[in-house]
Amino acid sequence: QVQFVESGGGLVQPGGSLRLSCAASGSIFSLYGMGWFRQAPGKQRELVARIMRGGSTVYVDSVKGRFTISRDDAKNTVYLQMNSLKPEDTAVYYCNAINIWYQPSTYWGQGTQVTVSV
């Protein structure tokens, strides 16, 4: 059974930082890639960042220079370091495996809430 468990979210002031963690099942973690996604109220889920097997990374334009995705294959864990947070970053953040066609798997976790507010 493939599972993803996100943690590290919370309430933070604008300009603050958070680090999200995602523990993934070992059988699929290193297959091709991993990604972080987010969904804000009333909006579609979007890809925030992805890291592929070879280490290459891609970020959505709105977070470039502020967020960093990384992975620790030995721990089956992927991270998202978020700096200089803005209110528009408020969303539920999810992690998922990414296949060879750059699509996420159908196994979504519960996500972790990130709220950026005064």
Side-chain angles (χ1 to χ4, degrees), residues 29-30 53 71-77:
F29 181 76
S30 62
R53 187 171 57 208
R71 62 191 295 171
D72 186 338
D73 289 346
K75 297 181 178 180
N76 293 339
T77 302

Side-chain angles (χ1 to χ4, degrees), residues 19-21 36 68-70 72 75 77-81:
R19 189 176 78 155
L20 308 184
S21 298
W36 282 98
T68 303
I69 187 172
S70 62
D72 186 338
K75 297 181 178 180
T77 302
V78 63
Y79 306 93
L80 185 68
Q81 178 67 47

Side-chain angles (χ1 to χ4, degrees), residues 14-101:
S17 298
L18 286 172
R19 189 176 78 155
L20 308 184
S21 298
C22 171
S25 59
S27 63
I28 198 172
F29 181 76
S30 62
L31 182 61
Y32 201 67
M34 292 291 294
W36 282 98
F37 304 77
R38 67 186 180 188
Q39 186 168 23
K43 297 184 179 180
Q44 294 294 110
R45 183 162 52 209
E46 68 171 345
L47 175 70
V48 178
R50 70 172 186 242
I51 181 167
M52 307 312 290
R53 187 171 57 208
S56 64
T57 58
V58 171
Y59 300 89
V60 67
D61 286 345
S62 60
V63 309
K64 287 181 178 178
R66 301 189 297 119
F67 291 10
T68 303
I69 187 172
S70 62
R71 62 191 295 171
D72 186 338
D73 289 346
K75 297 181 178 180
N76 293 339
T77 302
V78 63
Y79 306 93
L80 185 68
Q81 178 67 47
M82 306 186 296
N83 299 326
S84 302
L85 283 162
K86 304 175 180 179
E88 50 263 46
D89 295 318
T90 296
V92 178
Y93 284 71
Y94 304 87
C95 67
N96 208 336
I98 295 176
N99 62 25
I100 195 170
W101 303 290

